[in-house]
């Protein structure tokens, strides 16, 4: 059996996790489907949006997938 400290170590993430409140399940599912269609994932697209929003050098909006193909 593992100790509490060992369990915490096993569940640490490389980066600090951020939580977005107020996102309903349907929107999260649609977002995940769109990111998969774009060949990406939720974290990558969210990070690119944040970088664009704060005007990081070289940042640009990610391409949106065609809504008819979801």
């Amino acid at each position: 059996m593992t100790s509490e400290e060992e369990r915490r170590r096993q569940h640490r993430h490389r980066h600090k996790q951020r939580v977005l409140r107020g996102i309903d399940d349907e929107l999260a599912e649609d977002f995940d489907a769109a990111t998969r269609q774009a060949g990406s994932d939720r974290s990558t697209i969210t990070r690119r949006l944040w970088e664009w929003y704060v005007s990081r050098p070289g940042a640009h909006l990610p391409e949106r997938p065609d809504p008819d193909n979801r």
Side-chain angles (χ1 to χ4, degrees), residues 21-50:
R21 291 184 174 93
I23 306 295
D24 64 54
D25 290 343
E26 184 179 2
L27 178 56
E29 290 165 9
D30 290 348
F31 189 73
D32 286 342
T35 61
R36 282 191 301 275
Q37 184 184 353
S40 193
D41 59 71
R42 186 189 307 178
S43 294
T44 300
I45 297 297
T46 301
R47 184 173 42 257
R48 289 178 64 192
L49 288 167
W50 286 26

Side-chain angles (χ1 to χ4, degrees), residues 6-18:
E6 288 171 336
R7 274 188 294 210
R8 273 197 297 269
R9 245 184 282 136
Q10 291 171 354
H11 290 88
R12 287 189 181 141
H13 293 270
R14 182 175 174 201
H15 300 287
K16 181 178 178 181
Q17 287 188 298
R18 310 272 192 279

Side-chain angles (χ1 to χ4, degrees), residues 46-61:
T46 301
R47 184 173 42 257
R48 289 178 64 192
L49 288 167
W50 286 26
E51 290 170 344
W52 168 81
Y53 194 81
V54 300
S55 302
R56 289 262 170 102
H60 60 278
L61 281 173

